[in-house]
């Protein structure tokens, strides 16, 4: 039998409210800005039913916490974290890899990501679906993706949070 998948989680407060984060041995596995802690734990269990899921009492997630707190304070524009995207499809991983390249303070469109992911602009809805399943929002900045008409589109953290994140980054660009 393969080694047991271990996932550690932590909840903490930032300038933007509560954040829940989880890591596997490979890297950051999940992040939530919106869910209640129990909902986040239920989501973790649904993503990795075979995993041993425990609260991080050893400080494994301390660097993740520090980087996210710095980001929400406006003191960090890039993350230096290993990510675990193994449970995603190839298309989802490609979309998220291209999304991760969108610079701080800038935006792109669903259509542009569809083209970059090798599907053509007709796959913009599929890109939206992949972004809707982004397990690591903010670190993989799906909030930087908007519709071609300039409207915000969607965001798993809610549109008010998407506006806040874009405003935070615009303010950081001006500083």
């Amino acid at each position: 039998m393969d080694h047991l998948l271990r996932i550690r989680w932590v909840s903490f407060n930032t300038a933007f409210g509560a954040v829940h984060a989880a890591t596997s041995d490979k890297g950051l596995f999940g992040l939530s800005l919106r869910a209640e802690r129990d909902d986040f734990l239920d989501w973790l269990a649904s993503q990795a039913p075979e995993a041993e899921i425990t609260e991080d009492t050893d400080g494994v997630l301390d660097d993740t916490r520090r980087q996210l707190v710095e980001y929400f304070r406006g003191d960090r524009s890039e993350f230096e974290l290993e990510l675990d995207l193994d449970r995603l499809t190839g298309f989802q991983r490609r979309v998220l890899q291209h999304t991760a390249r969108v610079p701080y303070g800038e935006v792109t469109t669903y259509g542009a990501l569809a083209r970059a992911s090798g599907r053509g602009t007709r796959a913009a809805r599929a890109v939206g679906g992949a972004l809707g399943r982004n397990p690591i929002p903010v670190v993989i900045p799906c909030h930087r993706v908007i519709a071609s008409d300039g409207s915000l589109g969607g965001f798993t953290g809610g549109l008010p949070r998407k506006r806040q994140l874009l405003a935070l980054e615009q303010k950081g660009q001006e500083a």
Side-chain angles (χ1 to χ4, degrees), residues 65-123:
R65 177 192 333 227
R66 179 185 56 78
Q67 289 187 44
L68 284 161
V69 167
E70 290 171 354
Y71 170 83
F72 287 118
R73 235 185 8 227
D75 295 336
R76 173 176 288 276
S77 61
E78 294 181 21
F79 294 96
E80 299 165 2
L81 299 167
E82 294 295 320
L83 307 179
D84 181 352
L85 302 176
D86 287 356
R87 294 184 182 275
L88 302 178
T89 68
F91 176 70
Q92 289 169 323
R93 277 194 302 275
R94 280 193 307 280
V95 168
L96 295 181
Q97 288 165 347
H98 287 288
T99 303
R101 295 183 192 124
V102 178
Y104 181 87
E106 295 183 23
V107 294
T108 192
T109 65
Y110 296 100
L113 280 179
R115 279 191 307 278
S117 300
R119 290 278 188 98
T121 56
R122 298 179 82 173

Side-chain angles (χ1 to χ4, degrees), residues 154-174:
F155 183 61
T156 57
L159 290 182
R161 181 60 50 95
K162 185 171 186 169
R163 280 187 203 91
Q164 289 177 316
L165 292 170
L166 292 172
L168 170 74
E169 293 186 6
Q170 283 301 309
K171 183 179 175 185
Q173 290 286 74
E174 296 166 4

